[in-house]
């Protein structure tokens, strides 16, 4: 099923709901609150009506987007749709009440209550009915098998066999198309091989398999003796664009690290990889783009001044670019002001130190003030980076780090940043040992990600720039 088309349907119906509910609410206010004669109401000549019509539908659209309402539309249940729509319409109605209604002239406080109830009711009805229709249609198509999710099983023993048998015997489709399985490690025989094809010999093949077979969902089905490898399995899956589910046992439920879901009476647990609430993640991305565009415009004189200084100080280009590893291990090209001599790494990748004679005099100032990083605003706009996030590294050094600190992979769950807690608290690393030492700050950041933490790191970064105290 076309996910983009489904999202477009939601967006168009939400815009229409916002426009219709505003039109009816505005008419209600004119007739029943302001006691305006019906025959004298001409909305076509009313500037206030058209102003609201051009703003309010997009207010609702922004509210739904920033709260993550358009995510996972194919897996929404009717109950989830009801709960999320009710909650968001209530929040939005409260906001509009204080903006549009609170200062209005009223003859009685009952007008406040009736206006709010009317606003909420109209918006909820015209939003929820189309959504319910779309969701019901999607569920029916999935149960009839008209579309499905490519699903991979991790595990190959008796528990996985039981899962396949149970899901295959259900009268209605769960939406899962089982394409094969991957064992945790090679063994002589696999009980699950009687039912599914083996797509790899061990967990090391998971990345290639997910890309090759376009896997949408992964179900972890491990026997009791394999549970000690669960953390390793989940860590590997964190970097993939897949939904992760697992068969629960008592320990899984008691840990509280997973969110319970029900897949048409098959009890599975959804392993959530979200580090921030959806609304914070969307606001973070919105602020990244807006702030970066503003910064790129405002800092044009600084860009010009730094460029002139670099050209006057040493031969070579103004900008330096090379490949770094971004979110989910995806390579991208990073851009910085050149702070070293040309061909500084002609003998291979090297980390710099405070006595490094490859750094130019202008480059040393740029590195201390972090001004060499400001061209990366371009990477933020492209979506390769964020304003705040772990420092992006080269694959050459990542390979060395993970040999000693495998938890480095946790950093690849988020977009790398222009600045980070590791940068402001530790600074540039001069060797792999220091990179591993700085890693603990980035892990702390990831485990405590929020807009508030990002704001604090930005303040520390600005302080570092003005004090030129960067390492």
């Amino acid at each position: 099923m076309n996910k983009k088309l489904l999202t477009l349907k939601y967006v168009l119906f939400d815009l229409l709901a916002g426009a219709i509910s505003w039109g009816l609410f505005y008419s209600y206010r004119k007739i029943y609150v302001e006691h305006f004669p019906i025959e004298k109401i001409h909305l076509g000549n009313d500037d206030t009506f058209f102003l609201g019509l051009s703003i309010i539908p997009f207010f609702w659209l922004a509210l739904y987007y920033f709260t993550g309402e358009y995510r996972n539309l194919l897996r929404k249940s009717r109950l989830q749709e009801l709960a999320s729509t009710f909650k968001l319409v209530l929040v939005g109605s409260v906001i509009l009440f204080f903006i549009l209604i609170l200062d209005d002239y009223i003859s009685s406080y009952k007008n406040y209550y009736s206006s709010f109830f009317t606003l909420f009711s109209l918006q909820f009805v015209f939003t929820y009915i189309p959504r319910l229709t779309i969701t019901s249609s999607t569920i029916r198509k999935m149960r009839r098998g008209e579309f499905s999710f490519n699903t991979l099983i991790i595990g190959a023993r008796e528990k996985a066999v039981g899962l396949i048998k149970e899901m295959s015997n259900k009268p209605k489709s769960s939406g899962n198309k089982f394409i094969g399985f991957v064992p945790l490690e090679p063994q002589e025989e696999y009980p699950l091989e009687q039912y599914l094809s083996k797509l790899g010999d061990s967990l090391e093949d998971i990345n290639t398999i997910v890309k090759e077979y376009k896997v949408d969902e992964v179900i972890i089905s491990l026997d009791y003796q394999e549970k000690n490898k669960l953390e390793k399995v989940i860590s590997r899956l964190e970097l993939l664009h897949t939904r992760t589910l697992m068969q629960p046992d008592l320990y899984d439920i008691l840990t509280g690290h997973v969110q319970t879901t029900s897949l048409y009476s098959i009890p599975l647990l959804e392993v959530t990889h979200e580090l921030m609430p959806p609304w914070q993640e969307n606001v973070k991305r919105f602020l990244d783009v807006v702030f970066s565009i503003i910064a790129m415009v405002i800092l044009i004189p600084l860009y010009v001044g730094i460029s002139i200084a670099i050209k006057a100080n040493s031969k070579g280009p103004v900008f330096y670019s090379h490949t770094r590893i971004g979110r989910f291990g995806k390579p991208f090209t990073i851009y910085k002001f050149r702070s070293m001599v040309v061909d500084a790494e002609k003998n291979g990748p090297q980390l710099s130190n405070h006595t490094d004679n490859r750094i130019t005099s202008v480059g040393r100032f740029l590195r201390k003030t972090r001004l060499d990083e400001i061209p990366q605003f371009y990477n933020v706009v492209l979506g390769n980076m964020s304003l705040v996030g772990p420092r992006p590294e080269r694959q050459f050094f990542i390979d060395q780090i993970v040999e000693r600190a495998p938890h480095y992979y946790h950093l690849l769950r988020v977009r790398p940043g222009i600045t980070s807690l590791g940068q402001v608290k530790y600074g540039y690393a001069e060797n792999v040992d220091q990179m591993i030492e700085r890693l603990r700050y980035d892990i702390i950041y990831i485990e405590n990600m929020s807009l508030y933490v990002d704001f604090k790191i930005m303040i520390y970064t600005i302080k570092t720039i003005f004090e030129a105290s960067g390492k």
Side-chain angles (χ1 to χ4, degrees):
M1 191 171 186
N2 193 318
K3 296 179 182 179
K4 291 183 178 179
L5 180 60
L6 185 63
T7 303
L8 181 61
K9 284 183 180 179
Y10 268 80
V11 169
L12 291 178
F13 277 115
D14 285 343
L15 281 174
L16 186 61
I20 294 174
S21 61
W22 166 250
L24 293 176
F25 174 73
Y26 191 84
S27 300
Y28 163 81
R29 291 282 296 172
K30 283 287 185 181
I31 297 169
Y32 294 101
V33 177
E34 299 178 19
H35 302 295
F36 206 81
I38 297 178
E39 63 275 8
K40 293 186 178 181
I41 296 178
H42 300 289
L43 297 179
N45 299 322
D46 195 325
D47 292 338
T48 305
F49 169 75
F50 280 103
L51 180 63
L53 194 63
S54 62
I55 295 175
I56 289 180
F58 294 97
F59 160 80
W60 288 109
L61 203 64
L63 178 64
Y64 300 145
Y65 168 76
F66 282 116
T67 52
E69 191 69 0
Y70 300 123
R71 294 186 179 187
N72 302 319
L73 295 178
L74 289 175
R75 277 301 192 187
K76 270 191 173 184
S77 70
R78 283 177 280 250
L79 185 59
Q80 287 175 324
E81 194 73 83
L82 174 63
S84 63
T85 304
F86 183 89
K87 178 178 66 176
L88 290 176
V89 171
L90 181 62
V91 171
S93 298
V94 169
I95 294 172
L96 291 179
F97 176 81
F98 280 98
I99 294 176
L100 302 177
I101 303 173
L102 195 61
D103 291 334
D104 283 4
Y105 170 79
I106 57 172
S107 57
S108 169
Y109 275 99
K110 289 182 179 180
N111 293 144
Y112 278 146
Y113 304 134
S114 62
S115 293
F116 177 81
F117 179 77
T118 302
L119 175 64
F120 169 80
S121 300
L122 289 171
Q123 184 64 39
F124 177 78
V125 168
F126 286 104
T127 301
Y128 179 64
I129 290 178
R131 288 186 175 191
L132 177 62
T133 303
I134 296 172
T135 301
S136 298
S137 174
T138 302
I139 291 173
R140 284 195 299 271
K141 289 178 181 179
M142 183 175 65
R143 289 182 175 179
R144 290 197 299 259
E146 294 182 20
F147 73 91
S148 57
F149 304 94
N150 288 345
T151 305
L152 180 71
I153 300 290
I154 302 294
R157 299 189 179 185
E158 296 302 327
K159 192 172 183 179
V161 172
L163 174 70
I164 289 296
K165 287 182 177 180
E166 189 176 0
M167 295 187 74
S168 299
N169 291 330
K170 292 297 173 184
K172 295 181 180 179
S173 172
S174 64
N176 294 94
K177 178 184 177 183
F178 292 99
I179 60 172
F181 72 93
V182 177
L184 289 189
E185 54 191 21
Q187 58 192 60
E188 292 184 2
E189 59 179 22
Y190 308 97
L192 191 57
E193 204 163 14
Q194 300 177 38
Y195 305 89
L196 293 175
S197 301
K198 180 169 69 71
L199 302 182
D201 294 320
S202 68
L203 200 60
E204 302 302 319
D205 302 322
I206 190 70
N207 291 51
T208 303
I209 292 169
V210 167
K211 291 178 182 178
E212 181 179 349
Y213 292 91
K214 298 180 180 179
V215 175
D216 300 304
E217 297 188 358
V218 175
I219 299 180
I220 304 169
S221 183
L222 305 182
D223 282 10
Y224 179 77
Q225 57 267 39
E226 297 176 305
K227 284 295 184 179
N228 60 332
K229 299 176 183 177
L230 180 59
E231 184 177 354
K232 178 183 177 183
V233 174
I234 293 177
S235 295
R236 292 300 298 267
L237 296 176
E238 281 179 337
L239 305 183
L240 304 176
H241 291 280
T242 59
R243 184 179 184 227
T244 303
L245 302 149
M246 62 180 287
Q247 283 183 283
D249 56 26
L250 183 59
Y251 174 76
D252 297 323
I253 296 171
L254 292 176
T255 55
H257 295 302
V258 286
Q259 186 176 6
T260 304
T261 186
S262 177
L263 195 59
Y264 299 101
S265 77
I266 303 294
L268 294 173
L269 298 173
E270 183 172 0
V271 182
T272 59
H273 300 302
E274 291 182 352
L275 298 170
M276 301 175 73
W279 73 269
Q280 287 201 33
E281 187 176 341
N282 288 327
V283 170
K284 176 180 171 71
R285 178 63 188 146
F286 175 78
L287 294 177
D288 280 346
V289 173
V290 171
F291 185 86
S292 296
I293 292 174
I294 293 173
M296 290 170 68
V297 174
I298 293 177
L299 296 178
I300 287 177
L302 185 60
Y303 274 71
V304 173
I306 292 175
S307 299
I308 294 172
I310 291 173
K311 294 295 288 185
N313 183 242
S314 63
K315 295 181 180 179
V318 170
F319 297 102
Y320 172 67
S321 65
H322 59 88
T323 302
R324 296 285 177 100
I325 303 301
R327 192 180 190 188
F328 302 120
K330 182 181 178 181
F332 71 98
T333 302
I334 198 172
Y335 299 93
K336 302 172 66 174
F337 279 121
R338 181 174 60 84
S339 60
M340 292 187 175
V341 297
V342 177
D343 295 328
E345 292 190 329
K346 58 184 177 181
N347 297 322
Q350 302 175 53
L351 294 170
S352 64
N353 55 61
H354 64 284
T355 60
D356 196 333
N357 56 15
R358 296 176 301 159
I359 304 176
T360 65
S361 56
V362 169
R364 199 169 298 280
F365 170 77
L366 294 178
R367 291 166 71 90
K368 275 187 167 293
T369 57
R370 301 284 189 267
L371 292 176
D372 61 322
E373 309 279 0
I374 61 176
Q376 293 176 37
F377 285 122
Y378 175 69
N379 288 108
V380 175
V381 174
L382 290 181
N384 295 321
M385 296 181 67
S386 177
L387 294 177
V388 179
R391 179 178 173 80
E393 298 293 350
R394 288 172 278 184
Q395 189 65 57
F396 177 81
F397 293 111
I398 291 177
D399 292 339
Q400 297 180 59
I401 294 171
V402 296
E403 286 182 3
R404 297 164 53 186
H407 52 284
Y408 176 85
Y409 282 123
H410 288 296
L411 270 59
L412 301 182
R413 297 161 66 187
V414 300
R415 288 187 181 90
I418 295 178
T419 186
S420 68
L421 185 63
Q423 281 292 90
V424 298
K425 291 292 186 180
Y426 193 91
Y428 290 111
E430 299 180 0
N431 51 57
V432 174
D433 288 333
Q434 290 188 3
M435 294 174 84
I436 293 174
E437 190 175 346
R438 185 180 62 192
L439 174 60
R440 72 178 189 271
Y441 291 107
D442 290 324
I443 293 294
I444 290 172
Y445 167 73
I446 286 179
E447 295 302 321
N448 295 276
M449 280 184 68
S450 69
L451 294 175
Y452 172 69
V453 172
D454 280 10
F455 178 75
K456 288 181 67 175
I457 292 173
M458 290 293 293
I459 296 298
Y460 278 117
T461 301
I462 294 171
K463 183 173 179 286
T464 300
I465 291 173
F466 282 103
E467 293 181 351
S469 56
K471 175 181 172 183

